[in-house]
Amino acid sequence: MGSYRGTQQAELAATPEECFAAMTDYERLPEWQRAVKAARVVEHESDAGADVVEYEVDAKVTTIRYRLRQTYRPPELIDSEYVEGPFRSMTGRWTFEPAGADRTLATVDIDVDPGRWVPGPVKRAIEDALLKRALEDLRRRVES
């Protein structure tokens, strides 16, 4: 797979605050994020405005477990820094920009280096879970 970078963007019928709240309610993510089997805060760094979150993600052909340090600038930014898991490195960023009355331009960016060759079907499943499905699921959650 080598290093993979990807971006997805969509305009949502919700406020940045609603989007940010949905994405940071980690224990409830498995209820509406199809790829997330489990998510829990394992360390709260209140002095740094961050949480370490452990994820279990269904990438269709395998389950991936990893931890990210999530830092915040509410309600417009969630930055993700890789802590541990099966990859060499992983970073991510969600941004929520006002796009008119009760509308938000949501963007998710990821950069993943698995540190080894990954078969095409696994690569596509990871991309789908971390980008496309994540944004589609956020849309369903905040627009319902």
Side-chain angles (χ1 to χ4, degrees), residues 1 58-64 117-130 133:
M1 177 171 169
D58 178 8
K60 294 185 182 177
V61 293
T62 188
T63 297
I64 303 166
W117 180 81
V118 176
V122 174
K123 175 186 172 190
R124 286 186 294 281
I126 291 169
E127 292 170 14
D128 184 54
L130 296 178
R133 277 193 287 164

Side-chain angles (χ1 to χ4, degrees), residues 1-143:
M1 177 171 169
S3 186
Y4 171 78
R5 291 182 179 180
T7 299
Q8 288 282 315
Q9 192 172 66
E11 190 170 309
L12 309 177
T15 66
E17 291 81 5
E18 291 167 324
C19 296
F20 183 90
M23 290 304 299
T24 56
D25 187 0
Y26 299 110
E27 284 74 20
R28 296 191 69 186
L29 287 179
E31 296 174 12
W32 58 273
Q33 279 278 340
R34 290 173 286 171
V36 178
K37 295 172 81 174
R40 66 184 180 98
V41 175
V42 295
E43 187 178 336
H44 183 65
E45 302 173 351
S46 57
D47 58 322
D51 293 311
V52 175
V53 181
E54 183 174 80
Y55 292 91
E56 186 175 318
V57 175
D58 178 8
K60 294 185 182 177
V61 293
T62 188
T63 297
I64 303 166
R65 290 179 185 87
Y66 57 90
R67 288 184 179 189
L68 298 175
R69 176 171 287 105
Q70 310 283 47
T71 56
Y72 313 109
R73 191 171 63 231
E76 68 258 2
L77 176 72
I78 304 167
D79 264 334
S80 303
E81 175 188 350
Y82 191 62
V83 175
E84 69 180 72
F87 306 120
R88 178 178 293 149
S89 67
M90 178 180 185
T91 59
R93 173 175 276 187
W94 280 89
T95 58
F96 308 108
E97 301 173 40
D102 295 330
R103 297 196 67 77
T104 298
L105 180 62
T107 305
V108 58
D109 295 295
I110 63 165
D111 187 347
V112 179
D113 181 352
R116 63 190 177 283
W117 180 81
V118 176
V122 174
K123 175 186 172 190
R124 286 186 294 281
I126 291 169
E127 292 170 14
D128 184 54
L130 296 178
L131 288 171
K132 187 177 178 186
R133 277 193 287 164
L135 197 52
E136 290 171 357
D137 291 346
L138 177 60
R139 176 189 300 282
R140 277 195 287 281
R141 179 66 172 191
V142 298
E143 291 183 355

